[in-house]
Short mmCIF file of all heavy atoms in Angstrom, two decimals:
data_model
loop_
_atom_site.label_atom_id
_atom_site.label_comp_id
_atom_site.label_asym_id
_atom_site.label_seq_id
_atom_site.Cartn_x
_atom_site.Cartn_y
_atom_site.Cartn_z
N LEU A 1389 -0.68 -0.57 -11.44
CA LEU A 1389 -1.31 0.32 -10.46
C LEU A 1389 -2.61 0.92 -10.97
O LEU A 1389 -3.58 1.06 -10.21
CB LEU A 1389 -0.33 1.44 -10.08
CG LEU A 1389 0.92 0.98 -9.32
CD1 LEU A 1389 1.95 2.09 -9.27
CD2 LEU A 1389 0.56 0.54 -7.91
N GLN A 1390 -2.68 1.26 -12.23
CA GLN A 1390 -3.92 1.80 -12.79
C GLN A 1390 -5.00 0.73 -12.86
O GLN A 1390 -6.17 1.02 -12.62
CB GLN A 1390 -3.65 2.43 -14.15
CG GLN A 1390 -2.85 3.73 -14.05
CD GLN A 1390 -2.56 4.38 -15.39
OE1 GLN A 1390 -2.47 3.70 -16.42
NE2 GLN A 1390 -2.40 5.70 -15.40
N ARG A 1391 -4.62 -0.49 -13.19
CA ARG A 1391 -5.60 -1.58 -13.21
C ARG A 1391 -6.17 -1.81 -11.81
O ARG A 1391 -7.34 -2.18 -11.67
CB ARG A 1391 -4.94 -2.87 -13.70
CG ARG A 1391 -4.76 -2.95 -15.22
CD ARG A 1391 -3.99 -4.19 -15.61
NE ARG A 1391 -3.99 -4.37 -17.06
CZ ARG A 1391 -4.89 -5.09 -17.72
NH1 ARG A 1391 -5.85 -5.71 -17.06
NH2 ARG A 1391 -4.84 -5.20 -19.03
N GLN A 1392 -5.35 -1.58 -10.77
CA GLN A 1392 -5.77 -1.84 -9.40
C GLN A 1392 -6.37 -0.61 -8.72
O GLN A 1392 -6.76 -0.67 -7.55
CB GLN A 1392 -4.56 -2.32 -8.58
CG GLN A 1392 -4.03 -3.68 -9.00
CD GLN A 1392 -4.88 -4.81 -8.50
OE1 GLN A 1392 -6.04 -4.95 -8.90
NE2 GLN A 1392 -4.35 -5.63 -7.63
N GLU A 1393 -6.42 0.52 -9.45
CA GLU A 1393 -6.87 1.79 -8.90
C GLU A 1393 -6.04 2.19 -7.66
O GLU A 1393 -6.55 2.70 -6.66
CB GLU A 1393 -8.36 1.76 -8.57
CG GLU A 1393 -9.24 1.62 -9.81
CD GLU A 1393 -10.72 1.79 -9.53
OE1 GLU A 1393 -11.11 1.80 -8.34
OE2 GLU A 1393 -11.49 1.91 -10.51
N LEU A 1394 -4.73 1.93 -7.77
CA LEU A 1394 -3.78 2.32 -6.73
C LEU A 1394 -2.90 3.47 -7.19
O LEU A 1394 -1.96 3.84 -6.49
CB LEU A 1394 -2.90 1.11 -6.34
CG LEU A 1394 -3.63 -0.08 -5.71
CD1 LEU A 1394 -2.66 -1.24 -5.48
CD2 LEU A 1394 -4.33 0.31 -4.41
N PHE A 1395 -3.18 4.02 -8.36
CA PHE A 1395 -2.46 5.16 -8.89
C PHE A 1395 -3.20 6.42 -8.47
O PHE A 1395 -4.44 6.43 -8.37
CB PHE A 1395 -2.37 5.07 -10.41
CG PHE A 1395 -1.30 5.92 -11.03
CD1 PHE A 1395 0.03 5.52 -10.99
CD2 PHE A 1395 -1.61 7.13 -11.65
CE1 PHE A 1395 1.02 6.31 -11.55
CE2 PHE A 1395 -0.63 7.91 -12.21
CZ PHE A 1395 0.70 7.50 -12.18
N TYR A 1396 -2.48 7.51 -8.23
CA TYR A 1396 -3.11 8.71 -7.69
C TYR A 1396 -4.17 9.29 -8.64
O TYR A 1396 -3.98 9.36 -9.85
CB TYR A 1396 -2.07 9.79 -7.40
CG TYR A 1396 -2.66 10.99 -6.69
CD1 TYR A 1396 -2.84 10.97 -5.31
CD2 TYR A 1396 -3.07 12.12 -7.39
CE1 TYR A 1396 -3.40 12.06 -4.65
CE2 TYR A 1396 -3.64 13.21 -6.73
CZ TYR A 1396 -3.79 13.17 -5.36
OH TYR A 1396 -4.37 14.24 -4.70
N SER A 1397 -5.29 9.67 -8.06
CA SER A 1397 -6.33 10.37 -8.82
C SER A 1397 -6.92 11.45 -7.91
O SER A 1397 -6.63 11.50 -6.71
CB SER A 1397 -7.43 9.39 -9.25
OG SER A 1397 -8.20 8.97 -8.14
N ASP A 1398 -7.75 12.30 -8.49
CA ASP A 1398 -8.37 13.38 -7.71
C ASP A 1398 -9.63 12.93 -6.99
O ASP A 1398 -10.33 13.75 -6.38
CB ASP A 1398 -8.70 14.57 -8.63
CG ASP A 1398 -7.44 15.22 -9.18
OD1 ASP A 1398 -6.43 15.22 -8.45
OD2 ASP A 1398 -7.48 15.73 -10.31
N GLU A 1399 -9.93 11.65 -7.07
CA GLU A 1399 -11.13 11.14 -6.41
C GLU A 1399 -11.09 11.40 -4.91
O GLU A 1399 -10.04 11.21 -4.26
CB GLU A 1399 -11.26 9.63 -6.66
CG GLU A 1399 -12.54 9.02 -6.08
CD GLU A 1399 -12.65 7.53 -6.35
OE1 GLU A 1399 -11.66 6.95 -6.83
OE2 GLU A 1399 -13.72 6.97 -6.09
N VAL A 1400 -12.19 11.84 -4.35
CA VAL A 1400 -12.28 12.14 -2.92
C VAL A 1400 -12.41 10.83 -2.14
O VAL A 1400 -13.32 10.04 -2.38
CB VAL A 1400 -13.48 13.06 -2.62
CG1 VAL A 1400 -13.56 13.32 -1.11
CG2 VAL A 1400 -13.33 14.38 -3.37
N LEU A 1401 -11.47 10.61 -1.22
CA LEU A 1401 -11.48 9.39 -0.42
C LEU A 1401 -11.98 9.70 0.99
O LEU A 1401 -12.04 10.86 1.40
CB LEU A 1401 -10.07 8.79 -0.36
CG LEU A 1401 -9.45 8.47 -1.73
CD1 LEU A 1401 -8.01 7.97 -1.55
CD2 LEU A 1401 -10.29 7.45 -2.49
N GLU A 1402 -12.34 8.67 1.72
CA GLU A 1402 -12.91 8.84 3.06
C GLU A 1402 -11.85 8.56 4.12
O GLU A 1402 -11.47 7.41 4.36
CB GLU A 1402 -14.11 7.91 3.25
CG GLU A 1402 -15.30 8.29 2.37
CD GLU A 1402 -16.48 7.34 2.57
OE1 GLU A 1402 -16.31 6.32 3.28
OE2 GLU A 1402 -17.55 7.62 2.03
N PHE A 1403 -11.37 9.63 4.73
CA PHE A 1403 -10.38 9.52 5.80
C PHE A 1403 -11.08 9.63 7.14
O PHE A 1403 -12.18 10.17 7.26
CB PHE A 1403 -9.33 10.62 5.66
CG PHE A 1403 -8.54 10.54 4.39
CD1 PHE A 1403 -8.84 11.36 3.30
CD2 PHE A 1403 -7.49 9.65 4.26
CE1 PHE A 1403 -8.11 11.30 2.13
CE2 PHE A 1403 -6.75 9.57 3.09
CZ PHE A 1403 -7.07 10.39 2.02
N ASP A 1404 -10.43 9.15 8.19
CA ASP A 1404 -11.00 9.28 9.53
C ASP A 1404 -10.96 10.72 10.02
O ASP A 1404 -11.76 11.12 10.86
CB ASP A 1404 -10.22 8.38 10.51
CG ASP A 1404 -10.43 6.90 10.20
OD1 ASP A 1404 -11.53 6.40 10.44
OD2 ASP A 1404 -9.49 6.27 9.69
N GLU A 1405 -10.02 11.48 9.46
CA GLU A 1405 -9.90 12.90 9.80
C GLU A 1405 -9.13 13.58 8.68
O GLU A 1405 -8.27 12.95 8.04
CB GLU A 1405 -9.15 13.04 11.13
CG GLU A 1405 -9.01 14.46 11.63
CD GLU A 1405 -8.25 14.54 12.96
OE1 GLU A 1405 -7.84 13.49 13.46
OE2 GLU A 1405 -8.08 15.66 13.46
N ILE A 1406 -9.43 14.85 8.42
CA ILE A 1406 -8.72 15.59 7.38
C ILE A 1406 -8.08 16.84 8.00
O ILE A 1406 -8.73 17.58 8.75
CB ILE A 1406 -9.66 15.98 6.22
CG1 ILE A 1406 -10.12 14.74 5.46
CG2 ILE A 1406 -8.94 16.94 5.25
CD1 ILE A 1406 -11.05 15.03 4.31
N ILE A 1407 -6.81 17.06 7.69
CA ILE A 1407 -6.08 18.24 8.13
C ILE A 1407 -5.65 19.02 6.90
O ILE A 1407 -5.06 18.46 5.98
CB ILE A 1407 -4.84 17.85 8.96
CG1 ILE A 1407 -5.26 17.08 10.22
CG2 ILE A 1407 -4.02 19.07 9.33
CD1 ILE A 1407 -4.09 16.47 10.99
N ASP A 1408 -5.98 20.29 6.86
CA ASP A 1408 -5.57 21.14 5.73
C ASP A 1408 -4.24 21.79 6.03
O ASP A 1408 -3.96 22.24 7.15
CB ASP A 1408 -6.63 22.23 5.49
CG ASP A 1408 -7.92 21.66 4.90
OD1 ASP A 1408 -7.85 21.07 3.81
OD2 ASP A 1408 -8.97 21.77 5.55
N PHE A 1409 -3.39 21.86 4.98
CA PHE A 1409 -2.05 22.43 5.15
C PHE A 1409 -1.72 23.27 3.92
O PHE A 1409 -1.64 22.75 2.80
CB PHE A 1409 -1.02 21.32 5.32
CG PHE A 1409 0.31 21.79 5.78
CD1 PHE A 1409 0.54 22.15 7.10
CD2 PHE A 1409 1.37 21.90 4.89
CE1 PHE A 1409 1.78 22.58 7.53
CE2 PHE A 1409 2.62 22.33 5.30
CZ PHE A 1409 2.82 22.68 6.63
N ASP A 1410 -1.56 24.58 4.13
CA ASP A 1410 -1.34 25.52 3.03
C ASP A 1410 0.14 25.86 2.90
O ASP A 1410 0.74 26.47 3.80
CB ASP A 1410 -2.16 26.80 3.28
CG ASP A 1410 -2.22 27.69 2.03
OD1 ASP A 1410 -1.40 27.49 1.11
OD2 ASP A 1410 -3.08 28.58 2.00
N LEU A 1411 0.75 25.47 1.80
CA LEU A 1411 2.18 25.72 1.59
C LEU A 1411 2.51 27.19 1.49
O LEU A 1411 3.61 27.64 1.84
CB LEU A 1411 2.66 25.01 0.33
CG LEU A 1411 2.49 23.48 0.29
CD1 LEU A 1411 2.98 22.93 -1.04
CD2 LEU A 1411 3.24 22.82 1.43
N GLU A 1412 1.56 28.00 1.04
CA GLU A 1412 1.81 29.42 0.81
C GLU A 1412 1.92 30.21 2.10
O GLU A 1412 2.39 31.35 2.10
CB GLU A 1412 0.73 30.00 -0.10
CG GLU A 1412 0.77 29.40 -1.50
CD GLU A 1412 -0.27 30.01 -2.43
OE1 GLU A 1412 -0.98 30.94 -1.98
OE2 GLU A 1412 -0.35 29.57 -3.59
N GLU A 1413 1.51 29.62 3.22
CA GLU A 1413 1.56 30.33 4.50
C GLU A 1413 2.88 30.13 5.24
O GLU A 1413 3.11 30.72 6.28
CB GLU A 1413 0.42 29.84 5.41
CG GLU A 1413 -0.98 30.20 4.90
CD GLU A 1413 -2.06 29.69 5.82
OE1 GLU A 1413 -1.72 29.00 6.81
OE2 GLU A 1413 -3.24 29.98 5.55
N LEU A 1414 3.78 29.31 4.69
CA LEU A 1414 4.98 28.95 5.41
C LEU A 1414 6.04 30.05 5.38
O LEU A 1414 6.16 30.80 4.42
CB LEU A 1414 5.58 27.66 4.83
CG LEU A 1414 4.67 26.43 4.85
CD1 LEU A 1414 5.42 25.21 4.37
CD2 LEU A 1414 4.10 26.19 6.24
N GLU A 1415 6.82 30.12 6.47
CA GLU A 1415 7.96 31.02 6.62
C GLU A 1415 9.19 30.19 6.95
O GLU A 1415 9.09 29.04 7.39
CB GLU A 1415 7.70 32.03 7.75
CG GLU A 1415 6.46 32.88 7.57
CD GLU A 1415 6.61 33.93 6.47
OE1 GLU A 1415 7.77 34.20 6.09
OE2 GLU A 1415 5.58 34.44 6.01
N PRO A 1416 10.40 30.75 6.75
CA PRO A 1416 11.60 30.02 7.17
C PRO A 1416 11.51 29.62 8.64
O PRO A 1416 11.05 30.39 9.48
CB PRO A 1416 12.73 31.03 6.94
CG PRO A 1416 12.21 31.91 5.84
CD PRO A 1416 10.73 32.03 6.09
N ALA A 1417 11.91 28.37 8.95
CA ALA A 1417 11.68 27.84 10.29
C ALA A 1417 12.88 27.06 10.79
O ALA A 1417 13.71 26.57 10.02
CB ALA A 1417 10.45 26.94 10.29
N ILE A 1418 12.96 26.96 12.10
CA ILE A 1418 13.94 26.15 12.80
C ILE A 1418 13.20 25.37 13.87
O ILE A 1418 12.21 25.86 14.43
CB ILE A 1418 15.05 27.02 13.42
CG1 ILE A 1418 15.98 27.56 12.32
CG2 ILE A 1418 15.86 26.25 14.45
CD1 ILE A 1418 17.07 28.46 12.83
N ALA A 1419 13.64 24.15 14.14
CA ALA A 1419 13.04 23.35 15.21
C ALA A 1419 14.01 23.28 16.38
O ALA A 1419 15.22 23.22 16.20
CB ALA A 1419 12.70 21.96 14.72
N GLY A 1420 13.44 23.25 17.58
CA GLY A 1420 14.28 23.12 18.76
C GLY A 1420 13.91 24.16 19.81
O GLY A 1420 12.90 24.86 19.68
N PRO A 1421 14.74 24.32 20.83
CA PRO A 1421 15.91 23.46 21.07
C PRO A 1421 15.51 22.10 21.64
O PRO A 1421 14.60 22.03 22.47
CB PRO A 1421 16.72 24.25 22.10
CG PRO A 1421 15.68 25.05 22.84
CD PRO A 1421 14.61 25.37 21.85
N ASN A 1422 16.13 21.06 21.11
CA ASN A 1422 16.07 19.71 21.67
C ASN A 1422 14.80 18.93 21.38
O ASN A 1422 14.70 17.79 21.81
CB ASN A 1422 16.32 19.73 23.18
CG ASN A 1422 17.64 20.37 23.52
OD1 ASN A 1422 18.63 20.17 22.82
ND2 ASN A 1422 17.67 21.17 24.56
N LYS A 1423 13.84 19.48 20.66
CA LYS A 1423 12.67 18.71 20.26
C LYS A 1423 12.31 19.07 18.83
O LYS A 1423 12.15 20.24 18.49
CB LYS A 1423 11.47 18.98 21.17
CG LYS A 1423 11.63 18.40 22.57
CD LYS A 1423 10.38 18.59 23.41
CE LYS A 1423 10.55 17.98 24.79
NZ LYS A 1423 9.35 18.18 25.65
N ALA A 1424 12.17 18.02 17.98
CA ALA A 1424 11.95 18.26 16.56
C ALA A 1424 10.61 18.93 16.29
O ALA A 1424 10.44 19.61 15.28
CB ALA A 1424 12.02 16.92 15.79
N HIS A 1425 9.62 18.74 17.18
CA HIS A 1425 8.30 19.31 16.93
C HIS A 1425 8.13 20.69 17.55
O HIS A 1425 7.06 21.29 17.44
CB HIS A 1425 7.20 18.37 17.44
CG HIS A 1425 7.31 18.07 18.90
ND1 HIS A 1425 8.00 16.99 19.39
CD2 HIS A 1425 6.80 18.70 19.98
CE1 HIS A 1425 7.91 16.97 20.71
NE2 HIS A 1425 7.20 18.00 21.09
N SER A 1426 9.18 21.21 18.21
CA SER A 1426 9.11 22.56 18.78
C SER A 1426 9.56 23.55 17.70
O SER A 1426 10.75 23.83 17.57
CB SER A 1426 9.99 22.67 20.03
OG SER A 1426 9.55 21.77 21.01
N HIS A 1427 8.62 24.04 16.97
CA HIS A 1427 8.90 24.87 15.79
C HIS A 1427 8.98 26.34 16.19
O HIS A 1427 8.13 26.86 16.92
CB HIS A 1427 7.78 24.64 14.77
CG HIS A 1427 7.62 25.71 13.75
ND1 HIS A 1427 6.65 26.67 13.83
CD2 HIS A 1427 8.32 25.96 12.62
CE1 HIS A 1427 6.74 27.48 12.78
NE2 HIS A 1427 7.74 27.07 12.04
N ILE A 1428 10.05 27.01 15.74
CA ILE A 1428 10.17 28.45 15.99
C ILE A 1428 10.53 29.15 14.69
O ILE A 1428 11.10 28.55 13.78
CB ILE A 1428 11.23 28.76 17.07
CG1 ILE A 1428 12.60 28.22 16.64
CG2 ILE A 1428 10.82 28.20 18.41
CD1 ILE A 1428 13.71 28.55 17.60
N LYS A 1429 10.20 30.41 14.60
CA LYS A 1429 10.61 31.21 13.45
C LYS A 1429 12.03 31.72 13.68
O LYS A 1429 12.41 32.02 14.80
CB LYS A 1429 9.63 32.36 13.24
CG LYS A 1429 8.24 31.90 12.84
CD LYS A 1429 7.30 33.08 12.60
CE LYS A 1429 5.91 32.61 12.20
NZ LYS A 1429 4.97 33.73 11.96
N VAL A 1430 12.79 31.83 12.61
CA VAL A 1430 14.21 32.17 12.76
C VAL A 1430 14.41 33.53 13.43
O VAL A 1430 15.40 33.74 14.13
CB VAL A 1430 14.93 32.13 11.40
CG1 VAL A 1430 15.01 30.72 10.88
CG2 VAL A 1430 14.28 33.04 10.38
N ASP A 1431 13.47 34.46 13.23
CA ASP A 1431 13.69 35.79 13.82
C ASP A 1431 13.47 35.80 15.34
O ASP A 1431 13.78 36.77 16.01
CB ASP A 1431 12.82 36.85 13.14
CG ASP A 1431 11.34 36.54 13.21
OD1 ASP A 1431 10.97 35.49 13.78
OD2 ASP A 1431 10.54 37.35 12.68
N GLU A 1432 12.94 34.69 15.90
CA GLU A 1432 12.76 34.62 17.34
C GLU A 1432 14.10 34.41 18.06
O GLU A 1432 14.23 34.73 19.25
CB GLU A 1432 11.81 33.48 17.71
CG GLU A 1432 10.37 33.71 17.25
CD GLU A 1432 9.47 32.53 17.59
OE1 GLU A 1432 9.78 31.79 18.54
OE2 GLU A 1432 8.44 32.35 16.90
N LEU A 1433 15.09 33.86 17.37
CA LEU A 1433 16.37 33.57 18.00
C LEU A 1433 17.08 34.84 18.47
O LEU A 1433 17.83 34.83 19.45
CB LEU A 1433 17.28 32.80 17.04
CG LEU A 1433 16.83 31.38 16.69
CD1 LEU A 1433 17.79 30.76 15.70
CD2 LEU A 1433 16.74 30.51 17.94
N LYS A 1434 16.85 35.94 17.77
CA LYS A 1434 17.55 37.19 18.11
C LYS A 1434 17.14 37.72 19.49
O LYS A 1434 17.84 38.55 20.08
CB LYS A 1434 17.26 38.26 17.06
CG LYS A 1434 15.79 38.70 17.03
CD LYS A 1434 15.51 39.67 15.91
CE LYS A 1434 14.03 40.08 15.89
NZ LYS A 1434 13.71 40.95 14.76
N GLU A 1435 16.00 37.26 20.02
CA GLU A 1435 15.52 37.74 21.32
C GLU A 1435 16.26 37.10 22.49
O GLU A 1435 16.09 37.49 23.64
CB GLU A 1435 14.01 37.45 21.45
CG GLU A 1435 13.16 38.02 20.32
CD GLU A 1435 13.27 39.54 20.22
OE1 GLU A 1435 13.50 40.19 21.27
OE2 GLU A 1435 13.13 40.07 19.10
N GLN A 1436 17.06 36.05 22.24
CA GLN A 1436 17.78 35.38 23.33
C GLN A 1436 18.80 36.32 23.97
O GLN A 1436 19.30 37.24 23.33
CB GLN A 1436 18.49 34.13 22.80
CG GLN A 1436 17.57 33.12 22.11
CD GLN A 1436 18.38 32.01 21.46
OE1 GLN A 1436 18.41 30.91 21.95
NE2 GLN A 1436 19.06 32.33 20.37
#
Side-chain angles (χ1 to χ4, degrees):
L1389 293 167
Q1390 289 180 332
R1391 282 175 172 268
Q1392 293 283 65
E1393 294 189 348
L1394 296 175
F1395 199 78
Y1396 187 82
S1397 71
D1398 293 328
E1399 184 179 10
V1400 178
L1401 303 176
E1402 292 180 352
F1403 298 100
D1404 293 289
E1405 182 180 1
I1406 293 179
I1407 299 171
D1408 289 300
F1409 192 77
D1410 192 344
L1411 300 178
E1412 295 183 2
E1413 294 180 356
L1414 302 185
E1415 302 288 342
I1418 286 178
N1422 303 321
K1423 289 184 179 179
H1425 59 268
S1426 299
H1427 159 259
I1428 58 176
K1429 294 182 179 180
V1430 292
D1431 58 359
E1432 293 178 25
L1433 293 178
K1434 66 184 179 184
E1435 305 299 331
Q1436 303 173 107

